[in-house]
Amino acid sequence: MAIYKLIRPLAFAFDAETAHRATIAALRLMPARKIPAFAPSLASTVAGLRFASPVGLAAGFDKDGEVPDAMLALGFGFVEVGTVTPRPQAGNSKPRLFRLAEDRAVINRLGFNNRGQGSALERLAKRKRTGIVGVNIGANKDSVDRIADYVAGVRRMAAAADYLTLNISSPNTPGLRDLQAGDDLVELLAAVVEARGAGGPPLFLKVAPDLAEGDHERIVRAAIDRRIDALIVANTTVSRPPLKSFHAGELGGLSGAPLKTLALDALRCFRSASGGEIALIATGGIENADDAWARIIAGASLVQLYSALVYQGPGLALRIARGLAERLQREGFAYIAEAVASE
Ligand SMILES: Cc1cc2nc3c(=O)[nH]c(=O)nc-3n(C[C@H](O)[C@H](O)[C@H](O)COP(=O)(O)O)c2cc1C
């Protein structure tokens, strides 16, 4: 944190997207480092995968799968790359990424800018496969058959992914969130499960925090019926809790501190709808070990973060992991799994 405090004003002197590109470029230049060791109490098995720490990097930071190993080396227990779409796409016009520093938040309307699944696959296929790297897949904006895009993504990316996440909750691809509704969701899940086949990686489903009453039960039922392995709760919000920053009025998905309450509420709704029948992964506004702990005791087996990294820098994942290990000890739990849903 001390070093990042010095670097941060420099990074913040650039617009958010330029600073992000520079960060990825710097991470690519970093010499390869080993994954750090974590307290044994932090290890858990979720969806058949062994996680050394429950603190993961959320999708969107490494959209093209350029730096998963650098992020694992920084102390993330798992890294989700993507969203990648079948074909490359430019995303929305710039500016489309905004820091809301006073709110410790971000608004983005990037619109799945990425170099396509082929390009990510090429890079990921060269990895040594140490540490858990998931691949988050989406549909192209101009796709005429979005379900077919997810099926193509599953087929293409399965070989390079420890798990696959179906992102049907980005607010920046018009109509994408409609896939969360009724028949479309049932059809999507049936198609991707078939495409994944028996030996493929676990499938996670990432949902929006902006759901109506009854949606949670419906999504949970569809996911359990199709044996989806976990729900990621949640993506960015289109709602606007009170914000102070200059960019508060920008269109797009809001993430970071103002999403905290909404994401925790959504997690509790999913936990009560599922009664523990499906694993939950919490994301949205997690800034410290207390936030991560609140999600775990509310039912999350794992957590992910992105926005807080912008404000707190690269030591954050390790700090949260250490804080969680201390918390487990203080509360008398031997393992993280014992604390899940214990509130
Ligand atoms: C700049 C930015 C880009 C994102 N891109 C994606 C994406 O491509 N796919 C996705 O599933 N989520 C994406 N997200 C959402 C995050 O994965 C996460 O769900 C959300 O930001 C809430 O977590 P946070 O408050 O810790 O940032 C993005 C978030 C941000 C801030």
Side-chain angles (χ1 to χ4, degrees):
M1 184 72 177
I3 294 172
Y4 190 66
K5 263 192 181 153
L6 296 175
I7 299 170
R8 205 178 90 156
L10 179 68
F12 279 23
F14 294 93
D15 73 88
E17 197 163 344
T18 306
H20 183 255
R21 278 298 334 149
T23 305
I24 298 283
L27 288 163
R28 287 187 66 151
L29 290 174
M30 257 173 48
R33 287 192 307 163
K34 275 213 282 212
I35 294 176
F38 298 97
S41 60
L42 293 180
S44 64
T45 301
V46 179
L49 300 171
R50 191 75 181 150
F51 292 82
S53 159
V55 184
L57 178 63
F61 177 86
D62 185 11
K63 284 196 185 258
D64 288 306
E66 295 175 273
V67 292
D69 294 301
M71 299 314 285
L72 289 167
L74 283 175
F76 283 98
F78 60 110
V79 169
E80 187 166 313
V81 305
T83 297
V84 280
T85 53
R87 286 170 289 114
Q89 67 181 27
N92 293 322
S93 58
K94 294 179 186 172
R96 54 194 182 173
L97 179 60
F98 306 91
R99 280 185 296 256
L100 281 71
E102 286 172 77
D103 300 297
R104 306 192 307 281
V106 173
I107 290 178
N108 93 81
R109 51 169 179 271
L110 293 166
F112 289 170
N113 56 315
N114 77 105
R115 293 181 209 148
Q117 288 166 358
S119 154
L121 182 64
E122 217 173 277
R123 260 186 304 282
L124 294 173
K126 291 185 191 137
R127 295 185 56 242
K128 282 205 186 108
R129 298 291 289 260
T130 45
I132 292 180
V133 175
V135 177
N136 178 308
I137 57 174
N140 279 109
K141 184 180 177 182
D142 61 358
S143 167
V144 288
D145 183 349
R146 289 196 165 149
I147 292 181
D149 276 19
Y150 287 93
V151 166
V154 168
R155 293 219 170 97
R156 197 160 197 189
M157 301 310 294
D162 293 310
Y163 69 84
L164 289 166
T165 297
L166 311 167
N167 176 15
I168 54 168
S169 48
S170 166
N172 300 312
T173 297
L176 191 79
R177 287 180 165 199
D178 297 346
L179 281 173
Q180 296 178 127
D183 293 346
D184 280 354
L185 181 62
V186 172
E187 198 188 324
L188 169 74
L189 297 184
V192 292
V193 166
E194 198 197 323
R196 188 265 317 261
L203 285 172
F204 298 171
L205 181 68
K206 184 163 179 182
V207 297
D210 313 309
L211 294 170
E213 234 187 286
D215 287 346
H216 307 89
E217 285 76 11
R218 242 183 350 81
I219 291 173
V220 159
R221 200 33 45 221
I224 292 173
D225 283 353
R226 287 294 161 183
R227 301 219 164 80
I228 294 301
D229 296 276
L231 297 176
I232 303 184
V233 186
N235 215 313
T236 57
T237 180
V238 292
S239 73
R240 288 293 180 268
L243 298 169
K244 297 189 269 261
S245 306
F246 177 73
H247 289 301
E250 293 293 345
L251 285 179
L254 172 71
S255 56
L259 176 56
K260 197 176 298 196
T261 312
L262 196 61
L264 179 55
D265 287 350
L267 179 71
R268 290 197 172 116
C269 288
F270 277 105
R271 170 68 201 191
S272 92
S274 65
E277 266 190 82
I278 185 166
L280 301 174
I281 300 168
T283 176
I286 295 171
E287 301 182 285
N288 51 45
D290 286 346
D291 293 339
W293 181 256
R295 303 300 162 98
I296 288 164
I297 61 172
S301 297
L302 302 167
V303 300
Q304 294 178 318
L305 60 89
Y306 177 172
S307 300
L309 202 57
V310 174
Y311 295 105
Q312 300 190 52
L316 182 60
L318 272 184
R319 273 202 302 283
I320 295 181
R322 267 188 226 118
L324 283 177
E326 278 165 26
R327 192 71 186 250
L328 281 173
Q329 196 172 25
R330 213 179 328 138
E331 308 276 342
F333 294 110
Y335 290 103
I336 205 96
E338 292 173 8
V340 173
S342 63
E343 74 176 0

